[in-house]
């Protein structure tokens, strides 16, 4: 059973070192296994101001950085603006112990099956994986993202049943909490976006989000984009699934396409089925499509 005390205010893409293509953790103890591999994308904190104004919302700007930096995001499967995800995604939580701690793992498994304890509680106390900070939650995962042994165990496990498996990192207890149809994270070029904007039905069928700050939008903007400044994430993040329709195609833009990529990944983790990052951002649109738009 997954306790509410271990679920963040908004489900995070908190993925463990099991992922094959990941962003490095911001701060890991040297005693923990260094299992992270470099992603082709740097952490979000590289592209944002070092400080942000305080926000009273339950989800702060600092927490958003942790969601995308400390706990890496899913590997993107890019397209040129079309295609489908296909397959399944699983919502998984787990705990990890050392290879020579099988006795401990069996004891913990018994405490869950026989004693009614939660895997999430035990993960906080015993797991070696950085995901312990989120009660062992790995977020939504798909095939090709995890080491083979863990993937095989997860995709063959009955829903909600705690199973164990061994990988090169040690012994795991894992639990599949839910499953869904695989989503799509795509990339769209500036000229492709321009063609779509010319279609009168596009604005009605799609959702357009600009994550730049207000002073940036004042310099250059595109019609139809709703401005959701990233530094104000705490005010709009908790309501994103009610304000926007996860079933609709969603396009995310920033200055040069880096901040928007991180938000696109986060939206995908929140259940948005088809999310597209505007490659090169509004800068690419101004340079390649519409020179009348100022560059900065």
């Amino acid at each position: 059973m997954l306790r509410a005390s271990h679920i963040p205010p908004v489900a995070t893409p908190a993925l463990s070192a099991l992922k094959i293509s990941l962003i490095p953790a911001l701060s890991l103890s040297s005693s923990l296994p260094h299992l992270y591999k470099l992603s082709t994308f740097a952490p979000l904190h590289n592209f944002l101001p070092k400080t942000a104004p305080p926000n009273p919302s339950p989800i702060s700007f600092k927490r958003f950085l942790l969601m995308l930096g400390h706990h890496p995001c899913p590997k993107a499967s890019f397209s040129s603006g079309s295609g489908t995800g296909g397959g399944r995604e699983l919502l998984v939580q787990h705990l990890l112990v050392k290879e020579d701690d099988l006795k401990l793992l069996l004891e913990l498994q018994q405490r869950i099956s026989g004693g009614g304890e939660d895997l999430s509680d035990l993960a906080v106390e015993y797991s070696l994986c950085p995901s312990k900070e989120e009660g062992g939650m790995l977020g939504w995962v798909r095939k090709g993202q995890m080491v083979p042994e863990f993937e095989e165990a997860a995709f063959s496990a009955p829903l909600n049943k705690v199973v164990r498996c061994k990988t090169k990192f040690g012994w795991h207890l894992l639990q599949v909490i839910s499953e869904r149809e695989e989503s799509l994270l795509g990339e769209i070029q500036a000229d492709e976006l321009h063609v779509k904007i010319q279609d009168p039905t596009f604005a009605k069928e799609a959702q357009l989000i600009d994550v730049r700050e207000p002073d940036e939008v004042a310099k250059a903007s595109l019609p139809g984009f709703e401005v959701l400044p990233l530094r104000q994430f705490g005010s709009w993040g908790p309501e994103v699934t009610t304000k926007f329709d996860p079933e609709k195609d969603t396009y995310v833009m920033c200055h040069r396409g880096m901040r928007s990529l991180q938000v696109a990944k986060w939206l995908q983790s929140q259940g948005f089925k088809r999310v597209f990052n505007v490659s090169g951002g509004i800068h690419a649109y101004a340079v390649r499509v519409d020179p009348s738009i100022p560059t900065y």
Side-chain angles (χ1 to χ4, degrees), residues 31-90:
S31 63
L32 296 179
H34 189 67
L35 310 178
Y36 290 77
K37 294 187 178 181
L38 290 175
S39 164
T40 52
F41 305 107
L44 181 64
H45 67 277
N46 286 356
F47 310 106
L48 298 175
K50 294 183 179 179
T51 59
N55 197 307
S57 173
I59 300 181
S60 67
F61 179 72
K62 179 179 179 181
R63 176 162 178 75
F64 184 60
L65 293 181
L66 291 175
M67 288 160 58
L68 292 175
H70 186 72
H71 297 299
C73 301
K75 179 174 59 179
S77 54
F78 287 105
S79 78
S80 59
S82 62
T84 57
R88 290 187 302 154
E89 292 181 332
L90 305 180

Side-chain angles (χ1 to χ4, degrees), residues 211-282:
V211 298
R212 295 176 300 147
E213 303 306 314
D215 61 320
E216 295 180 89
V217 177
K219 297 173 183 176
S221 63
L222 290 180
F225 277 81
E226 180 159 358
V227 179
L228 299 178
L230 191 50
R231 283 195 293 182
Q232 297 177 27
F233 174 80
S235 63
W236 57 261
E239 302 175 354
V240 72
T241 55
T242 55
K243 190 172 184 179
F244 296 92
D245 185 353
E247 299 295 325
K248 285 188 174 183
D249 287 6
T250 304
Y251 296 80
V252 190
M253 180 181 71
C254 68
H255 184 204
R256 292 181 180 268
M258 299 307 292
R259 285 171 287 174
S260 56
L261 175 61
Q262 303 300 331
V263 174
K265 288 180 177 182
W266 179 77
L267 289 172
Q268 184 190 36
S269 77
Q270 302 305 298
F272 282 70
K273 295 293 181 63
R274 290 170 56 85
V275 187
F276 299 91
N277 179 52
V278 179
S279 178
I282 196 169

Side-chain angles (χ1 to χ4, degrees), residues 103-180:
K103 181 179 179 180
L104 170 62
L105 188 88
L106 295 176
E107 291 176 356
L108 296 178
Q109 189 171 16
Q110 178 58 35
R111 287 169 63 177
I112 296 171
S113 60
E117 295 190 55
D118 291 337
L119 189 153
S120 54
D121 288 334
L122 297 178
V124 171
E125 186 173 355
Y126 294 101
S127 183
L128 298 177
C129 179
S131 65
K132 66 182 295 180
E133 301 299 332
E134 303 289 352
M137 281 297 293
L138 306 182
W140 291 97
V141 300
R142 63 181 70 88
K143 287 188 174 181
Q145 290 185 303
M146 300 168 288
V147 293
E149 300 88 350
F150 192 93
E151 179 177 289
E152 181 180 355
F155 278 86
S156 60
L159 200 64
N160 292 317
K161 181 178 177 61
V162 176
V163 300
R164 66 178 180 267
C165 72
K166 183 181 179 183
T167 71
K168 62 183 179 181
F169 306 127
W171 283 99
H172 307 259
L173 290 180
L174 69 90
Q175 183 178 29
V176 178
I177 304 300
S178 183
E179 65 178 356
R180 69 184 184 190

Side-chain angles (χ1 to χ4, degrees), residues 92-109:
V92 182
Q93 64 177 354
H94 88 131
L95 64 80
L96 169 69
V97 299
K98 295 179 180 179
E99 184 178 355
D100 56 1
D101 277 342
L102 177 58
K103 181 179 179 180
L104 170 62
L105 188 88
L106 295 176
E107 291 176 356
L108 296 178
Q109 189 171 16

